[in-house]
């Protein structure tokens, strides 16, 4: 597995995501992207579990003749990490190509403050009609 270029790409994607996620709070303009130790700890645990699972599953799937499935799983995770890296980059206010900046702003609902994952099915299709009321500090005072 040490000579497998796909696993190297996966490993580098995780490392670069961790780096951009760690650096992001120092450059973020929005306080929602500032440092939070709980989020950082949860992210490290999540990345470790994903890496261990892929590093275990990938050679097993290759050994039983399901190499195409193994490659698909790793490529899927690489794609998700690239999206995360681009989101971190965007949150820091650093330059992104216009087409990528437009894609992130328009298509990735999870970056919206009012995003409620329970309103979407497993395929990302909107199914909920419930409105989520955001409580503002000035409303609590009334």
């Amino acid at each position: 597995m040490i000579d497998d270029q796909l696993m190297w790409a996966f490993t580098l994607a995780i490392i670069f995501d961790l780096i951009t996620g760690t650096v992001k709070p120092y450059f973020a303009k929005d306080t929602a992207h500032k440092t939070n130790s709980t989020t950082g700890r949860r992210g490290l645990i999540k990345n470790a579990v994903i890496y261990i699972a892929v590093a275990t599953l990938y050679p097993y799937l290759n050994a039983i003749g399901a190499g195409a499935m193994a490659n698909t799983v790793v490529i899927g995770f690489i794609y998700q990490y690239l999206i995360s890296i681009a989101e971190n980059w965007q949150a820091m206010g650093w330059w992104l190509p216009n087409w990528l900046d437009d894609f992130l702003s328009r298509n990735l609902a999870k970056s919206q403050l009012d995003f409620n994952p329970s309103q979407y099915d497993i395929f990302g299709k909107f199914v909920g009609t419930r409105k989520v009321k955001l409580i503002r500090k000035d409303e609590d005072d009334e």
Side-chain angles (χ1 to χ4, degrees), residues 9-111:
F10 175 65
T11 304
L12 292 175
I14 289 179
I15 291 170
F16 201 62
D17 182 47
L18 288 172
I19 291 169
T20 58
T22 303
V23 172
K24 177 176 66 172
Y26 299 106
F27 293 95
K29 311 275 187 275
D30 184 11
T31 55
H33 296 289
K34 293 293 184 184
T35 305
N36 182 338
S37 63
T38 303
T39 304
R41 199 171 26 254
R42 191 178 309 132
L44 284 173
I45 292 169
K46 178 192 76 158
N47 286 325
V49 168
I50 288 171
Y51 190 80
I52 291 168
V54 170
T56 304
L57 186 65
Y58 184 74
Y60 174 73
L61 288 173
N62 279 324
I64 64 170
M69 182 186 293
N71 291 342
T72 302
V73 168
V74 174
I75 289 170
F77 277 114
I78 291 171
Y79 170 76
Q80 290 299 318
Y81 278 106
L82 291 176
I83 293 292
S84 178
I85 291 165
E87 287 176 337
N88 290 341
W89 204 270
Q90 185 183 38
M92 289 187 277
W94 293 356
W95 180 85
L96 281 174
N98 288 338
W99 62 270
L100 183 57
D101 194 33
D102 291 342
F103 173 79
L104 292 173
S105 299
R106 192 178 16 164
N107 295 330
L108 298 178
K110 73 178 188 175
S111 64

